[in-house]
């Protein structure tokens, strides 16, 4: 601690060794603080920058894979792009990888969550029937998947223009037909896409504007989502009402 400046030299003579040590420690601590603050700001800026890249205005990017497949991206991050469904596609993001992702169940489920269509979830049968009372009118043609013995189907028939009940259990469909002969009940698995399409065509020129789904309230969510996805793609109703616990 020495200085060629006379003023500084005079100041040094006035300071005791202990004072000099305190000043030196304070200066060192201040330099360390500002250096750490600058480093932290640099790191935060980097994180913010990456987040802004992901959440920035999305621009459509076209990929050729036999036909155009528009994928909205919010900037590249960590070697991937953000698909329109919200998932990050990692890797080289070749047209083949993008097409494979868009054909996956994950993409379909995510798109269903982002769908503009209304999905109403009910836990109890009373809520399920209240939804029918509130959402249906005489202009609606309704499909009930999981009609059981027809109790709710009969309720829906009272407020909708037309309803068709569907169940995969033949004994339940037989009982429903005996109890409510004025209502159409069909017997097949709703996951049978070809039969579901044929049923939708059978009501043309009308369409199933609302679909009620009750495939047992305790069924696992993956199965429920798979069915919702299938209905969304094949029937394209305006509203799906789902009873699930």
């Amino acid at each position: 601690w020495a200085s060629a400046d006379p003023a500084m030299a005079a100041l040094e003579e006035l300071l005791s060794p202990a004072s000099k040590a305190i000043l030196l420690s304070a200066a060192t601590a201040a330099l360390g603080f500002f250096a750490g603050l600058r480093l932290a700001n640099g790191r935060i800026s980097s994180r913010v920058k990456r987040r802004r890249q992901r959440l920035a205005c999305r621009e459509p990017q076209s990929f050729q894979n036999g036909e155009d497949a528009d994928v909205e991206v919010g900037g590249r991050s960590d070697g991937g792009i953000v698909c329109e469904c919200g998932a990050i596609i990692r890797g080289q993001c070749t047209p083949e990888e993008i097409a494979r992702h868009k054909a996956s169940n994950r993409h379909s489920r995510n798109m269903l969550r982002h769908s503009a269509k209304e999905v109403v979830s009910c836990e109890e049968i009373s809520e399920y029937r209240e939804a029918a009372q509130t959402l249906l009118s005489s202009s609606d043609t309704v499909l009930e998947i999981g009609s059981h013995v027809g109790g709710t189907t009969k309720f829906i028939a009272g407020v909708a223009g037309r309803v068709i009940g569907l169940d995969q259990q033949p004994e339940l469909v037989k009982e429903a037909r005996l109890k409510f002969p004025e209502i159409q009940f069909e017997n097949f698995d709703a996951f049978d896409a070809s039969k579901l399409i044929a049923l939708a065509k059978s009501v043309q020129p009308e369409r199933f504007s609302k679909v009620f789904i009750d495939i047992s309230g305790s069924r696992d969510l993956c199965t429920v989502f798979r069915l919702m996805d299938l209905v969304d793609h094949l029937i394209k109703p305006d509203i799906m009402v789902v009873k699930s616990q």
Side-chain angles (χ1 to χ4, degrees):
W1 183 287
S3 174
D5 190 333
M8 292 299 298
L11 180 61
E12 290 172 7
E13 290 180 0
L14 293 175
L15 294 174
S16 65
S19 298
K20 292 179 180 179
I22 292 172
L23 286 175
L24 182 60
S25 298
T28 303
L31 288 173
F33 171 78
F34 286 113
L37 183 61
R38 183 176 180 182
L39 179 61
N41 285 337
R43 289 176 178 173
I44 292 173
S45 297
S46 178
R47 289 196 298 269
V48 171
K49 183 178 180 180
R50 288 196 300 270
R51 180 170 178 80
R52 284 177 178 175
Q53 286 178 339
R54 289 195 298 267
L55 301 180
C57 294
R58 295 183 172 183
E59 299 178 357
Q61 182 174 345
S62 180
F63 298 89
Q64 298 294 329
N65 185 24
E67 58 181 10
D68 288 343
D70 291 335
V71 179
E72 292 181 339
V73 296
R76 296 183 69 92
S77 175
D78 299 326
I81 64 170
V82 181
C83 176
E84 60 184 338
C85 75
I88 296 177
I89 307 174
R90 302 189 184 280
Q92 296 181 356
C93 300
T94 63
E96 291 74 18
E97 289 175 334
I98 293 165
R100 185 162 51 250
H101 166 75
K102 289 175 72 69
S104 68
N105 288 333
R106 179 188 182 192
H107 177 81
S108 299
R109 287 196 300 270
N110 288 348
M111 288 301 293
L112 185 61
R113 296 188 187 103
H114 299 315
S115 173
K117 297 180 179 64
E118 185 176 357
V119 176
V120 179
S121 176
C122 306
E123 186 175 354
E124 304 294 339
I125 188 66
S126 58
E127 297 174 350
Y128 191 59
R129 293 183 178 182
E130 184 178 351
Q133 183 71 45
T134 303
L135 299 173
L136 298 180
S137 69
S138 59
S139 63
D140 286 310
T141 298
V142 181
L143 173 64
E144 188 192 13
I145 300 176
S147 54
H148 203 253
V149 295
T152 300
T153 319
K154 174 65 174 177
F155 185 88
I156 292 174
V159 289
R162 180 183 179 185
V163 61
I164 296 176
L166 171 62
D167 203 286
Q168 66 174 343
Q169 300 295 332
E171 64 276 8
L172 297 179
V173 172
K174 182 179 178 179
E175 183 177 348
R177 286 170 175 168
L178 289 173
K179 290 175 66 176
F180 309 110
E182 73 280 9
I183 299 176
Q184 180 180 347
F185 291 94
E186 297 295 332
N187 174 216
F188 62 85
D189 189 341
F191 284 101
D192 189 328
S194 60
K195 292 184 178 179
L196 199 59
I197 292 173
L199 182 61
K201 288 182 177 180
S202 72
V203 301
Q204 291 177 349
E206 302 298 326
R207 56 182 285 270
F208 290 121
S209 56
K210 312 288 194 305
V211 174
F212 281 65
I213 300 174
D214 180 9
I215 55 172
S216 178
S218 59
R219 290 287 286 273
D220 61 282
L221 285 179
C222 288
T223 303
V224 176
F225 277 132
R226 280 178 52 225
L227 181 57
M228 291 171 65
D229 183 47
L230 187 67
V231 169
D232 182 51
H233 280 77
L234 299 183
I235 297 180
K236 303 184 184 333
D238 300 326
I239 297 179
M240 281 188 280
V241 180
V242 184
K243 180 177 173 291
S244 176
Q245 297 176 347

